Amino acid sequence: MDKFSFLGNSEIEFIDDMYQSYKKDPSSIDDSWQKFFQGFDFAAEKFPGKPQPDKLSSPPAESMSKEFNVINMIQAFRQRGHLFTKTNPVRVRRKYFPTLDIENFDLSQTDLETVFQAGKEVGIGPSKLKNILDHLQETYCHSVGVEYLYLRTPDKVKWLQHKMEISKNQPNFTDEQRKHIYYHLKLAVGFENFIHKKFVGQKRFSLEGTEALIPALDALIEKGAQLGVEEFVFGMAHRGRLNVLANIIEKPYENIFKEFVGEEFEDDIALGDVKYHLGYGNTVKTDDGNEVKLHLTPNPSHLETVGAVVEGISRSKIDNDYKGDENKLVPIVIHGDAAIAAQGIVYETIQMAELKAYRTGGTIHLVINNQIGFTTNYLDARSSTYCTDVAKVTRCPVFHINGDDVEALIYTIGLAMEYRQEFKTDVFIDILSYRKHGHNEGDEPRFTQPLLYNEIAKHKNPRDIYGDYLISKGIYKQENLKELITEFNSFLNDKFELSKNIEKLYIQPFLDEYYENIRYSTKEDFDITPVFKTDKKHLIELANKITNLPDDLHFFKKIGKLMTDRKKMISENRLDWAMGELLAYSSLLDEGYGVRISGQDSERGTFSHRHAALTVTDSVHKYFPLKHISEKQAPCHIYNSHLSEYAVLAFEYGYALAHPSGLTIWEAQFGDFHNVAQAVVDQYLSSAEDKWGVKNGLVLFLPHGYEGQGAEHSSARMERFLNLCANNNMQIINPSTPANHYHALRRQVKRDIRIPLICFTPKSLLRHPSCVSTMDELAEGRFQEVIDDTNVIAKKVSRVVFCSGKIYYDLLARKNELNAKDVALIRIEQIYPFPQKQIDSVLKKYPNALLHLWVQEEPENMGAWQFINYNIKNIELVPVARIPSGSTATGLSKIHTIGQNEIINKVFRKCDCERKLKYCGLQCVAGSSKEDIHRQHEYFQDKKSKLLM
């Protein structure tokens, strides 16, 4: 029976048409059909007298079929060979089916001596099946496993296939190169052994089991330098960090040894951190004489947070130091297997790789795969086959390497470096190895993994394995290796003795070269903000520039109205929030300070106020008025982020860290969304200066205000930031005017200090008719930490009301309605550092005040109340707030309105004495008792009573 009888005439004609298209242009048809016709041509070449050149015809069916079978086998090795590698040094690999046995491709042992044209497909020409099979097994099933056929881009697939199959994924090093590899293994293993003996039982999170990482990183730097890389930014967790610091970044050994026994840090560091969290930077010289900058970023125990920080630092340097040239800098992120598989920020960060706002030209990801997470077995740590399966999201190649085969690892890391420079995408290298000790050196792993650790106890380290190999090759003798090890141990001992002369521990401030003209802040810096004037006439010119649109571009009609309204604001000298903010950016850009903003909806603004990017009608092109201020202006970048808080905030922290001369802002869609990124706030923003001496001027915009939008869209959780405030580590502001917002942004880069700025931004105030400022207030003013009430008769003031943010305008409306000039509304615009001197000055103006209130929209156990009460100690301060609650706000607008009215009514309480005043003037016994102030809110009290009935 004809094997192809199932094909009808129509199918044959279709296939023949495809074949004709393939002959003209192979790329014009699907990749799978390309492979089919390649196999057909191979088969046809074996029978030169048979084929007809212009029509699809077949050689003898059985021979042709077997050529296709070999092609299928080749494709299977490329696609599934990684499942059958020899990459696990201490475990037997899991079994996968079907296998790659030739019988699974309708081939048999009798075919092994048959020559197949399919050998051309792997670059070895017509070859016997046994030779093709050997070639495939050596390429795809030895110490290197590779996943790459899902890349979708033919050029990338062909590039990798050519590189790997021509070399069989096996290196060919010279004797001198092998000695160099051994040298770095000697450093890696010797360093760990020395520390283990000198500092018995102390935590160091050793690299033992994956020491091949050190010669691999050395090779990566050497290869990168040859390809034009001038700088590497590293991020890694604690496993192996000390080894990388010592043997790659070249932090002095004696400094590391001192950190095991040190008792005091130098004066610039308040608290310091454990040795395996610290960062370091250095410029090293490669073997070819190239100078390369290396930075290992400080990292907390929140393992994968640093990855996004590294990407931010890298993008900042690419933008500002290398003028956008991604060839000059490469980010390197070193993961643990359990962390890369399970930490959500890994996915968030990897999704940034191809986004214009965050791309860095490709990151090389290295996984120290200990096959265990603390005490959790890898089978319990993930559902995916590999810990690196997240790489497939962005279609990046993944290499799986036997951590004992240092040559294979070095070969692969060089290939990865070439691929990154060629295609500007991420690459993942999974180093399968083991962890010699428990999670730390004091942990006993045999409690939970007795079988694994019995095997590890018998296993030689990578240095000794490679040493045995070099002896077998005749490159070294055993006594040579012993001498090299002894010499290095003696060298380390000298460094240990040297460390005893160090009195105080020194933590190198990370990226300190950017901060030569920036100092640490002092308490006096916050007594009063300096004035940074802007010429009013020039400010008006800037305003006109950002409100004029090019004649040759057409925009949505409401954009035209928006610009008309903004021009009217200029002419009437009544600037709203958006204009104040945009003029802050304009003036800074004009003065040479770059501006970068990213966040969900930041181009337009969540509440449609900013409109920094204007989409041209019937196109995807965007026009940014802020980019058209002058030819000499600084760069302006405003981006909509992907739907991520954790990774984006970490990224922008890194960006700001490497660019203190610009204004970097992360904007939350709603203020409380920052809690998804709480680790960045806790471990970096609030504590990095105390721990690592790191300065950072990142700005957070957190929309905040109670407007009846529910629990997740009301409070930006100010109390959480205030709980973290100490030693001038952050600035917490809640500005209530466009002018104050304008000055806060300008002072952030105009001063010679850099401290994170947490800015609680408004929502309804964006369009509030009273929330406006004049051009003079922008040009001549300064940031006001406290804003006094100018509409009072000071000597008659009986009630001083402190507040912050939007609630001021609700109170102001009632005050104006009652013409209450004996009530002073005092706005605390900067809550931390606490403006004690300014508040004391205000209080002196009102010596006859009978009552001092703190008014807030938040429940009493939230917001600023606890912090304010702690800091204002010379008066009795009474809170007016919603009742304590586990939730920030109600979900019903009506209940919100009731609660809001009760707050206002408590401040301007009804007069119920014989005086019959518009509001209580506190003159009577009832008015001065404050009883009504302390009473529970009526609605909630009634609700609670009903629930208890």
Side-chain angles (χ1 to χ4, degrees):
M1 182 179 176
D2 183 0
K3 281 191 175 184
F4 305 103
S5 61
F6 62 88
L7 293 175
N9 289 335
S10 60
E11 285 86 353
I12 292 173
E13 290 176 3
F14 170 74
I15 295 171
D16 189 56
D17 289 342
M18 293 275 284
Y19 183 61
Q20 301 307 321
S21 298
Y22 166 77
K23 289 170 66 177
K24 292 177 183 177
D25 180 11
S27 65
S28 66
I29 64 173
D30 185 76
D31 186 61
S32 61
W33 279 106
Q34 291 181 42
K35 299 298 181 187
F36 177 86
F37 291 127
Q38 286 173 9
F40 172 79
D41 286 346
F42 292 147
E45 286 178 21
K46 190 176 180 182
F47 303 91
K50 300 285 184 178
Q52 300 173 21
D54 297 320
K55 288 292 287 181
L56 186 66
S57 58
S58 68
E62 185 177 355
S63 298
M64 175 180 171
S65 177
K66 287 198 173 183
E67 288 285 355
F68 284 140
N69 293 345
V70 177
I71 290 289
N72 288 339
M73 182 186 73
I74 291 170
Q75 283 300 98
F77 269 89
R78 289 167 172 168
Q79 186 173 37
R80 300 181 66 245
H82 57 87
L83 296 173
F84 307 97
T85 55
K86 301 170 184 176
T87 50
N88 201 318
V90 291
R91 292 185 195 262
V92 176
R93 285 215 62 175
R94 285 183 282 178
K95 304 299 181 184
Y96 296 95
F97 298 93
T99 67
L100 296 177
D101 295 338
I102 59 174
E103 289 78 11
N104 289 322
F105 304 96
D106 290 333
L107 297 166
S108 67
Q109 297 297 313
T110 60
D111 295 315
L112 291 174
E113 295 295 328
T114 303
V115 175
F116 288 93
Q117 300 299 313
K120 294 180 180 179
E121 174 70 2
V122 292
I124 61 175
S127 302
K128 292 181 179 180
L129 177 60
K130 68 177 183 180
N131 295 333
I132 296 172
L133 189 60
D134 287 345
H135 189 89
L136 291 170
Q137 287 175 336
E138 290 180 24
T139 302
Y140 291 110
C141 298
H142 202 264
S143 290
V144 179
V146 58
E147 300 177 87
Y148 71 106
L149 287 189
Y150 48 75
L151 296 185
R152 297 187 189 174
T153 307
D155 287 349
K156 294 177 182 177
V157 173
K158 289 176 182 176
W159 189 94
L160 284 167
Q161 281 179 359
H162 175 73
K163 290 281 187 179
M164 294 187 295
E165 292 175 354
I166 200 170
S167 66
K168 295 191 289 188
N169 263 340
Q170 295 184 14
N172 185 22
F173 293 117
T174 66
D175 288 354
E176 287 304 311
Q177 288 172 324
R178 285 175 170 144
K179 288 180 179 179
H180 187 74
I181 293 169
Y182 184 82
Y183 168 79
H184 285 283
L185 280 173
K186 176 196 70 177
L187 300 184
V189 175
F191 177 79
E192 297 293 354
N193 288 346
F194 184 85
I195 291 177
H196 193 68
K197 293 174 183 177
K198 286 291 184 184
F199 308 104
V200 178
Q202 286 210 42
K203 288 183 183 179
R204 70 181 190 276
F205 297 96
S206 82
L207 190 59
E208 289 169 279
T210 321
E211 292 98 330
L213 177 70
I214 298 303
L217 290 177
D218 173 73
L220 177 67
I221 294 164
E222 295 284 346
K223 186 70 173 182
Q226 293 170 9
L227 297 174
V229 179
E230 297 179 10
E231 192 164 3
F232 290 90
V233 180
F234 292 84
M236 68 183 297
H238 39 274
R239 177 76 55 211
R241 189 181 190 89
L242 297 183
N243 213 315
V244 172
L245 280 166
N247 294 316
I248 296 298
I249 314 295
E250 298 182 10
K251 180 176 179 178
Y253 290 102
E254 59 269 27
N255 289 7
I256 295 174
F257 295 155
K258 186 64 179 181
E259 288 165 1
F260 280 89
V261 296
E263 297 178 353
E264 186 179 359
F265 291 99
E266 290 194 351
D267 294 340
D268 285 342
I269 303 297
L271 297 175
D273 202 354
V274 291
K275 50 196 169 291
Y276 39 80
H277 286 173
L278 302 179
Y280 199 77
N282 205 357
T283 299
V284 303
K285 187 168 284 190
T286 68
D287 294 340
D288 294 334
N290 298 307
E291 287 195 343
V292 182
K293 297 176 183 177
L294 307 178
H295 308 277
L296 179 58
T297 310
N299 188 54
S301 286
H302 298 63
L303 299 177
E304 294 291 340
T305 310
V306 76
V309 177
V310 164
E311 301 298 343
I313 293 169
S314 301
R315 175 57 181 265
S316 183
K317 285 173 166 284
I318 289 168
D319 282 351
N320 302 299
D321 297 349
Y322 297 110
K323 309 304 180 188
D325 188 349
E326 295 172 343
N327 288 297
K328 298 296 185 183
L329 183 146
V330 178
I332 311 293
V333 180
I334 303 172
H335 311 264
D337 55 309
I340 192 174
Q343 293 287 300
I345 191 175
V346 176
Y347 183 90
E348 293 183 35
T349 304
I350 286 170
Q351 281 286 19
M352 292 175 156
E354 299 298 328
L355 301 180
K356 63 180 180 179
Y358 308 106
R359 61 168 290 120
T360 56
T363 298
I364 295 181
H365 299 266
L366 302 170
V367 181
I368 298 176
N369 191 339
N370 297 149
Q371 308 179 63
I372 189 171
F374 208 143
T375 65
T376 302
N377 192 287
Y378 75 101
L379 292 173
D380 298 319
R382 61 179 185 266
S383 297
S384 59
T385 301
Y386 295 114
C387 63
T388 50
D389 280 350
V390 69
K392 295 168 187 173
V393 171
T394 48
R395 298 177 298 282
C396 299
V398 180
F399 298 92
H400 305 280
I401 315 296
N402 188 320
D404 278 353
D405 192 340
V406 65
E407 289 194 4
L409 178 56
I410 290 174
Y411 156 79
T412 304
I413 212 161
L415 182 64
M417 188 70 249
E418 288 185 54
Y419 183 90
R420 188 272 180 189
Q421 291 297 84
E422 180 72 22
F423 296 107
K424 300 296 181 295
T425 71
D426 290 7
V427 187
F428 290 73
I429 300 176
D430 176 19
I431 308 170
L432 281 102
S433 49
Y434 56 92
R435 188 185 70 193
K436 184 174 180 180
H437 307 286
H439 178 65
N440 60 63
E441 288 64 35
D443 191 38
E444 176 51 75
R446 289 177 180 83
F447 283 133
T448 51
Q449 278 81 25
L451 295 177
L452 174 62
Y453 274 86
N454 285 340
E455 184 65 32
I456 289 172
K458 299 179 288 185
H459 200 78
K460 283 188 174 182
N461 66 57
R463 179 196 67 188
D464 294 345
I465 291 172
Y466 194 59
D468 291 345
Y469 172 72
L470 296 185
I471 291 171
S472 72
K473 299 282 287 185
I475 296 172
Y476 278 126
K477 295 181 180 179
Q478 187 67 54
E479 54 267 29
N480 300 141
L481 300 184
K482 286 183 178 179
E483 184 179 348
L484 291 172
I485 293 170
T486 300
E487 286 177 357
F488 182 59
N489 197 59
S490 178
F491 168 80
L492 290 177
N493 203 59
D494 291 342
K495 294 295 182 181
F496 174 71
E497 293 299 321
L498 187 61
S499 72
K500 295 178 181 179
N501 299 324
I502 301 173
E503 293 184 8
K504 293 182 180 182
L505 295 176
Y506 171 70
I507 296 180
Q508 181 195 71
F510 190 64
L511 298 182
D512 203 37
E513 62 270 24
Y514 291 110
Y515 292 83
E516 289 182 0
N517 299 314
I518 297 173
R519 58 183 174 80
Y520 290 109
S521 66
T522 65
K523 185 178 179 182
E524 290 69 32
D525 289 317
F526 303 99
D527 286 343
I528 188 168
T529 295
V531 175
F532 301 109
K533 290 185 177 182
T534 311
D535 180 72
K536 179 181 176 180
K537 182 179 179 182
H538 186 58
L539 205 55
I540 293 172
E541 291 174 359
L542 292 174
N544 287 325
K545 285 184 178 181
I546 62 174
T547 54
N548 284 324
L549 301 179
D551 295 333
D552 58 336
L553 298 178
H554 301 285
F555 301 93
F556 180 47
K557 61 182 181 180
K558 288 187 177 180
I559 294 296
K561 183 180 184 305
L562 173 70
M563 293 302 164
T564 299
D565 291 343
R566 288 181 173 176
K567 289 176 182 177
K568 186 177 180 182
M569 292 179 200
I570 300 168
S571 64
E572 293 181 353
N573 202 20
R574 287 175 54 82
L575 306 175
D576 70 358
W577 196 274
M579 278 302 291
E581 180 185 333
L582 292 171
L583 283 171
Y585 304 145
S586 303
S587 60
L588 289 172
L589 291 166
D590 189 58
E591 294 171 26
Y593 299 94
V595 173
R596 175 186 168 91
I597 309 172
S598 88
Q600 297 154 24
D601 316 305
S602 287
E603 291 180 357
R604 189 201 72 174
T606 299
F607 310 102
S608 198
H609 83 288
R610 184 174 294 123
H611 292 284
L614 309 175
T615 303
V616 178
T617 303
D618 299 326
S619 79
V620 296
H621 175 69
K622 293 177 181 178
Y623 177 77
F624 292 82
L626 289 170
K627 294 185 178 183
H628 299 274
I629 293 170
S630 73
E631 293 181 0
K632 297 181 179 181
Q633 72 171 85
C636 176
H637 304 291
I638 302 179
Y639 298 109
N640 288 338
S641 75
H642 61 319
L643 198 64
S644 159
E645 289 84 24
Y646 193 173
V648 175
L649 178 53
F651 183 100
E652 298 304 344
Y653 179 89
Y655 196 100
L657 184 59
H659 190 48
S661 60
L663 182 67
T664 305
I665 300 170
W666 175 69
E667 181 175 46
Q669 189 178 66
F670 285 89
D672 56 338
F673 289 4
H674 76 80
N675 59 18
V676 182
Q678 193 65 44
V680 183
V681 176
D682 292 347
Q683 317 311 135
Y684 284 97
L685 278 170
S686 66
S687 59
E689 187 172 314
D690 276 356
K691 292 189 297 186
W692 309 319
V694 169
K695 310 180 191 85
N696 195 301
L698 180 65
V699 178
L700 272 61
F701 281 175
L702 305 179
H704 174 81
Y706 280 60
E707 285 132 357
Q709 295 190 51
E712 275 71 57
H713 298 97
S714 296
S715 173
R717 308 308 296 254
M718 185 183 295
E719 66 278 359
R720 294 187 176 174
F721 289 94
L722 293 173
N723 281 338
L724 295 169
C725 287
N727 303 321
N728 301 328
N729 61 335
M730 294 188 289
Q731 302 163 97
I732 311 297
I733 67 171
N734 192 15
S736 63
T737 70
N740 230 20
H741 188 54
Y742 167 92
H743 290 299
L745 295 175
R746 283 179 54 79
R747 78 167 183 175
Q748 187 67 1
V749 290
K750 298 289 282 184
R751 292 189 296 185
D752 60 347
I753 57 176
R754 290 293 180 273
I755 304 167
L757 173 63
I758 316 303
C759 182
F760 292 85
T761 54
K763 293 175 289 183
S764 63
L765 294 191
L766 297 173
R767 294 171 181 82
H768 196 289
S770 298
C771 186
V772 293
S773 298
T774 67
M775 201 64 84
D776 289 307
E777 288 172 327
L778 270 61
E780 299 295 329
R782 62 167 182 84
F783 179 77
Q784 299 179 75
E785 292 82 1
V786 177
I787 301 180
D788 195 4
D789 194 335
T790 57
N791 187 27
V792 293
I793 302 172
K795 291 183 179 180
K796 292 185 177 181
V797 168
S798 60
R799 194 172 321 184
V800 175
V801 179
F802 289 101
C803 62
S804 187
K806 181 189 82 73
I807 191 72
Y808 164 77
Y809 289 94
D810 296 336
L811 293 168
L812 179 64
R814 182 65 60 86
K815 175 182 172 174
N816 289 342
E817 177 188 328
L818 299 172
N819 193 27
K821 295 195 175 184
D822 61 343
V823 177
L825 303 180
I826 313 300
R827 287 170 276 175
I828 301 182
E829 303 276 292
Q830 177 174 292
I831 302 168
Y832 189 82
F834 192 68
Q836 189 67 59
K837 288 186 177 181
Q838 293 92 322
I839 289 174
D840 289 344
S841 177
V842 167
L843 288 172
K844 288 178 182 178
K845 288 180 58 180
Y846 308 115
N848 299 320
L850 301 173
L851 180 62
H852 297 85
L853 304 178
W854 168 259
V855 181
Q856 65 179 36
E857 298 178 292
E858 301 93 335
E860 192 173 320
N861 59 320
M862 301 177 189
W865 160 240
Q866 304 290 344
F867 185 84
I868 294 293
N869 190 44
Y870 176 80
N871 282 279
I872 298 182
K873 299 176 180 178
N874 53 342
I875 57 172
E876 180 187 358
L877 199 59
V878 178
V880 178
R882 286 176 167 85
I883 64 171
S885 171
S887 175
T888 56
T890 176
L892 297 177
S893 179
K894 182 178 179 180
I895 299 175
H896 160 77
T897 302
I898 292 171
Q900 200 77 358
N901 287 337
E902 287 190 1
I903 290 173
I904 304 304
N905 290 337
K906 282 175 177 290
V907 177
F908 298 95
R909 57 170 289 182
K910 184 179 179 181
C911 176
D912 51 13
C913 72
E914 68 278 2
R915 293 173 180 266
K916 305 298 181 185
L917 303 173
K918 291 182 180 179
Y919 59 96
C920 178
L922 305 180
Q923 297 95 335
C924 65
V925 174
S928 60
S929 70
K930 308 179 186 122
E931 181 181 345
D932 188 60
I933 299 290
H934 291 295
R935 228 172 46 212
Q936 295 286 339
H937 284 250
E938 293 173 6
Y939 170 82
F940 293 102
Q941 190 67 22
D942 293 344
K943 185 83 170 176
K944 184 177 179 182
S945 298
K946 290 176 183 177
L947 289 172
L948 294 173
M949 289 177 64

